[in-house]
Amino acid sequence: MPLFARWRAERDLQRKAASYVATLFRDPDPADVQWLASNATRGDMDHAAWELRYARRALGLIAAQRDALDDRTASVAAREIADAMRKDPNVAADMRETAERQFNARLSAYRDGLAARAGAATATRMGQTLFAFSGGSFRREDENIQRAGELLATYLAEANSALRATFGAAALPEHLPPSALVGR
């Protein structure tokens, strides 16, 4: 690929990643923040908002890693998330390193929760993870854990939708099964 064409392709990928990450940096719905604060963070609205922000961003990065058509998408999205977090006006300059560590801890936990194949249902594991980080009771499978799991499933579905809208969806010929394309 000629140098200019490669440069344009990389710029296009970066532009798409910035657009995708912007969807991940939307603030959570105030009603969801209020609900989480009331049921997990002992009324701490800021903590509740941050847990929901971290969850949306982590699930968005996981979606890019799992579902993107181009292997480069996840790494470009990860760099864009890191850049956006360094510029996030919601994070004090002296707390940026802490915010990055906290995000990475949640990313790892949500990734593990999605990958696990044994034990509780995925939605339950995800809800328990959100409540564990939020300081709430996460051992019982109650309506709060269920709602948290549903909320996180919505975040993941929104991330997948944004990923397809931004980077494109897989398009297979209708007359061929996917297995016929292997090796082409």
Side-chain angles (χ1 to χ4, degrees):
M1 177 184 286
L3 180 63
F4 185 67
R6 184 174 44 221
W7 177 80
R8 285 183 69 184
E10 288 173 8
R11 294 276 301 167
D12 185 51
L13 183 63
Q14 183 62 41
R15 180 186 52 75
K16 288 177 180 179
S19 175
Y20 176 65
V21 168
T23 67
L24 304 179
F25 271 68
R26 288 190 339 260
D27 263 346
D29 184 309
D32 293 332
V33 174
Q34 179 62 51
W35 166 77
L36 188 60
S38 297
N39 293 288
T41 66
R42 294 171 186 76
D44 186 339
M45 297 283 285
D46 187 56
H47 184 188
W50 270 106
E51 289 306 331
L52 294 173
R53 286 179 189 126
Y54 285 142
R56 184 188 306 269
R57 295 167 190 181
L59 292 169
L61 183 53
I62 292 167
Q65 292 168 337
R66 291 187 336 174
D67 304 329
L69 299 176
D70 184 337
D71 291 341
R72 298 173 299 167
T73 301
S75 62
V76 173
R79 280 194 307 271
E80 190 65 32
I81 287 172
D83 288 346
M85 285 185 73
R86 280 192 288 278
K87 299 172 191 171
D88 191 337
N90 294 311
V91 180
D94 62 333
M95 296 300 292
R96 296 202 192 286
E97 190 175 307
T98 300
E100 184 177 331
R101 278 195 313 273
Q102 289 175 341
F103 171 75
N104 287 331
R106 279 118 180 114
L107 175 62
S108 179
Y110 287 124
R111 185 182 294 122
D112 290 348
L114 286 170
R117 297 290 174 228
T122 302
T124 300
R125 285 193 308 273
M126 300 306 285
Q128 288 171 323
T129 302
L130 176 61
F131 264 62
F133 281 118
S134 300
S137 175
F138 60 91
R139 300 228 183 259
R140 291 180 298 132
E141 293 182 33
D142 62 11
E143 64 278 351
N144 286 323
I145 296 299
Q146 183 178 10
R147 180 171 175 188
E150 291 168 359
L151 178 60
L152 296 183
T154 299
Y155 282 2
L156 187 58
E158 289 171 351
N160 272 302
S161 179
L163 188 68
R164 285 189 304 278
T166 305
F167 292 97
L172 300 172
E174 292 202 21
H175 66 285
L176 291 176
S179 59
L181 298 174
V182 174
R184 282 191 168 186

